[in-house]
Amino acid sequence: MKTTSFGNLKGLVYRSGGLIDSELAEQRSRFPANDIVEVTGNPWIEIFADTIKDPMIWFLVGVGLAFLLTGEVADGITLFVAVLPLLFMDAFLHWRTQASTAALRGDLSSSVKVYRNAVEVEVDSRDLVPGDLVLLRQGDVVPADGVFESSQGLQVDESVLTGESFPIVKKATPLEPFFRSCADEVRVPSEILGAAGTRVLTGHGTLRVIFTGASTSYGEIVRSVSRVPHERTPLQQAIGRLVQILIFLSVALCLILAMVRFNQGYGWLDALLSAATLAVAAIPEEFPVVFTFFLGVGVYRLAKKRALVRRAVSVENIGRVTHICTDKTGTITAGQLKLAHFEPSKGDVQTLLGTALASSSSESDPLDAAIKEVAQERGLTSKASLLVFPFTEDRKRETVISQEVGGPFVANIKGSPETIIGMSRLLSDEKTRWEGQVSQWARTGHKVIAVARKSSLAPFEQEPGAELEFCGLLAFEDPARPEVAGAMEYCRRNGIRVLMITGDHPETSAAIAKDAGLTIAEPVVVSAEDEPLKFQEEWLHRHADFLKNIDVVARCTPMQKLRIVLALKHFGELVAVTGDGVNDVPALKAADIGIAMGERGSRSAREVSSIILADDNFSTIINAIREGRQLFKNLKMSFEYLLLIHIPLVATAAVLPLAGYPLVYLPVHIVWLELVIHPTALLAFQAPSTGTRDEVNAPRIFSSFQVLCICLAGVAVAVLLGWGFVRALSEGASPERARSGVMALLTLWSAGVAVQLTRFKSEVAIIISTVTVLSSMALIQSSESLTFLRLAPLSLVEWSAGVVVVGLLTGILAWSRRLFQCIPG
């Protein structure tokens, strides 16, 4: 039973011929067009306004301006160019959100046949109003919410809204009492209700429209999609905070350095040059650039694994998923009914299947399609039908009359087990045995039908209703995909909890969950229909352990599914949601990662999702998670490299000039170092996912202990560089020679860190490090270096000492990394 309101019909007179012109005009004045959402404003302006809110874009623009103001035109232009793909990515994301809503709206934009003024007319579905009487036939999409006033063999596919995998038989009810009812809400059987967006599989009928447009269940889903914002990932937020802190510190240090150098008597030119050099060294433009580049690599790698990424940040987020909310139909299951079991009455399988095939008259009924598939595998062919009595709710059976070649006429009948068993020639104990078999299969989530036949030498003048020859039972199931069990095992091993959310019956859901290997023990199943209070937002937020201790939520509505996802996020879970229907759209949009099925998924589900599985293979999700985890590890190495290089670079560029020593770096040296740092950070840390090791990623990219180790290592290198620079000057070396020692150590340190972080397993890291060292030696030892680079050549002993020192430092770094890998993040 469901609660609905007939208030929209008040003031109308019940007519079997539909609305008259005066009533139609009145209803049009009361209700808007049958659009899911009302479009207001200019969508392009809205996309632009949403796009420019991205703080990362403003950061890159600001950094580019800073480079231009400090004279680094090439770097400034590079960052401005880097803004373009980010602008495009954000604009595409916001456009896709609007496109998904338009796709949902467009699904109902079609012509429909209605009765008006007692005449059948064809109108645009947008013109429907409450009170209209719509004619529906096989293949039609229901254009609005309402109540079925007539039904002849009407079966509706509601999986797109409810997740129910089996066709729903619809009944009709007299509506005249509801026109006169004064009650605001009435409880009615769900079998008489029709919902916008569902599809008629078989039969025909008429629907009295009660709700249109945004007031429909379909419209409620779309409004919920529009209300859910896209959130920034934790790593995006962390990078943003890091960048803000570093920029603030950089600006403060630059101002202090400029004033101190001027007061030390170096003059305005030296003060400005020292501040500009420090600004170029300290502004952390690499972090967002590296992040964007790594996401692009992740998108490419996932595409090769049949996971199409629509939102690039999902590549980073999916590696840290802690909870997967998955629907059943078409995701865990194949989304197709299969004839799984058959029990013939006398051991004659061919007769049972042949009778079932002969009684299957529909091309679109999933049950008939499953019967035909198995029958054809066994070499059975259908006979020409002479007369068809289609399935109706009152009769609960379908009968097809055919004739054997040169033989009798045969009535082939299939229908509900209760009806067919009651009409068959069976003894009392036989009926009890067959009814027990029906109950056993029903408890394991199967849809069961019975098959019977009756022969006659004379043609049948009417449908036989007794003394049938019972042929047996057929049991259908929507089976779990074979690869799902392995995926579930991976999730259990890696601390990822899977929650099945479906509109199916609890027993059906429990059977599928057990078959799919969702849990080792019996799955814990809760029916949202039986316990609706537990799925209210306030209750979920007060009971943190409820969702973590259940395995299946059955009979779940789209809004309840959305509340479940939001509650899990409220408790700090990083949630991925899989789905393929319109009923999944709100949850897909609200999730940290929305994963749609590419083959079976509705257009709306695909448009609103972050990732689309091109092969609808559940195991592809696991491949995507592994790739995301590898991306996270690669990013971690790259960021660690950047910090280990930038800390000593910025520290020496700021502290030594503040202490009154000559400038350690000139702008040309910073550009040189950036040419080393950028390609190393982007290319050296791109290890592929091997899938040989399962590892749960920490919620943060670095733990507090790891940050401490990185800072200590960076400070140690800074102290060593500063000590070498001061010592060289104190021994009478020129500033140029002292700078050469610092540049040599920094480039050797960069190469050593890159190779050590990748554990000598990255060919790219080894090549880049080799090129870095050789090119640096060539530049420093060049006879022209004094003129252009303000450097002086070093001796072989000095280079050898640098190699030894860096070797010791990288050894200490390797030891500390092994140590902090043993400490939880």
Side-chain angles (χ1 to χ4, degrees), residues 178-332:
F178 295 115
F179 277 78
R180 298 193 301 268
S181 174
C182 296
D184 290 335
E185 292 187 337
V186 181
R187 287 182 63 80
V188 298
S190 58
E191 290 83 1
I192 72 171
L193 297 175
T198 60
R199 185 169 59 90
V200 177
L201 291 175
T202 64
H204 58 87
T206 56
L207 179 84
R208 184 72 67 167
V209 175
I210 309 296
F211 300 103
T212 58
S215 299
T216 63
S217 300
Y218 202 89
E220 184 181 2
I221 290 175
V222 179
R223 291 200 308 277
S224 69
V225 172
S226 302
R227 290 193 295 264
V228 177
H230 278 295
E231 299 177 357
R232 301 183 69 77
T233 69
L235 187 54
Q236 279 182 300
Q237 296 171 1
I239 292 173
R241 288 193 297 269
L242 175 64
V243 165
Q244 290 174 358
I245 292 171
L246 293 180
I247 288 178
F248 176 79
L249 292 176
S250 300
V251 172
L253 279 174
C254 289
L255 293 175
I256 293 171
L257 182 58
M259 289 186 293
V260 169
R261 295 293 285 182
F262 180 74
N263 289 331
Q264 288 174 344
Y266 284 97
W268 280 108
L269 182 59
D270 181 278
L272 291 175
L273 184 61
S274 59
T277 302
L278 179 60
V280 175
I283 292 176
E285 84 283 358
E286 292 97 344
F287 289 94
V289 172
V290 166
F291 180 65
T292 303
F293 180 81
F294 273 54
L295 290 184
V297 173
V299 169
Y300 171 73
R301 289 182 176 176
L302 284 184
K304 292 179 67 176
K305 296 181 181 294
R306 308 287 291 167
L308 310 179
V309 178
R310 297 177 62 86
R311 189 180 179 206
V313 292
S314 302
V315 181
E316 171 255 321
N317 239 359
I318 198 169
R320 295 182 295 112
V321 163
T322 59
H323 228 100
I324 298 177
C325 294
T326 176
D327 66 345
K328 178 182 72 67
T329 305
T331 307
I332 288 181

Side-chain angles (χ1 to χ4, degrees), residues 360-439:
S360 301
S361 60
S362 173
E363 294 294 331
S364 58
D365 190 323
L367 287 174
D368 287 350
I371 291 171
K372 290 176 181 178
E373 180 181 353
V374 175
Q376 288 172 1
E377 290 175 357
R378 291 175 171 262
L380 297 174
T381 56
S382 57
K383 299 178 178 63
S385 59
L386 302 176
L387 182 63
V388 176
F389 298 92
F391 184 94
T392 60
E393 184 59 34
D394 56 337
R395 292 167 41 256
K396 296 185 183 298
R397 67 186 187 275
E398 177 181 18
T399 302
V400 177
I401 308 298
S402 60
Q403 185 179 19
E404 301 289 345
V405 178
F409 295 90
V410 179
N412 305 282
I413 307 164
K414 72 176 189 293
S416 73
E418 297 82 1
T419 300
I420 303 300
I421 290 174
M423 296 166 57
S424 299
R425 296 192 306 268
L426 294 171
L427 298 176
S428 178
D429 60 338
E430 291 178 321
K431 288 185 179 181
T432 301
R433 182 174 69 84
W434 287 112
E435 288 169 351
Q437 182 65 67
V438 170
S439 298

Side-chain angles (χ1 to χ4, degrees), residues 14 115 133-138 147-156 168-175 190-194 200-208 390-397:
Y14 174 75
Y115 281 120
L133 189 61
V134 180
L135 284 77
L136 294 172
R137 296 181 176 85
Q138 181 177 313
V147 176
F148 287 103
E149 204 168 290
S150 68
S151 172
Q152 293 295 321
L154 196 63
Q155 295 188 80
V156 177
I168 306 300
V169 176
K170 291 299 180 180
K171 303 177 182 178
T173 186
L175 289 188
S190 58
E191 290 83 1
I192 72 171
L193 297 175
V200 177
L201 291 175
T202 64
H204 58 87
T206 56
L207 179 84
R208 184 72 67 167
F391 184 94
T392 60
E393 184 59 34
D394 56 337
R395 292 167 41 256
K396 296 185 183 298
R397 67 186 187 275

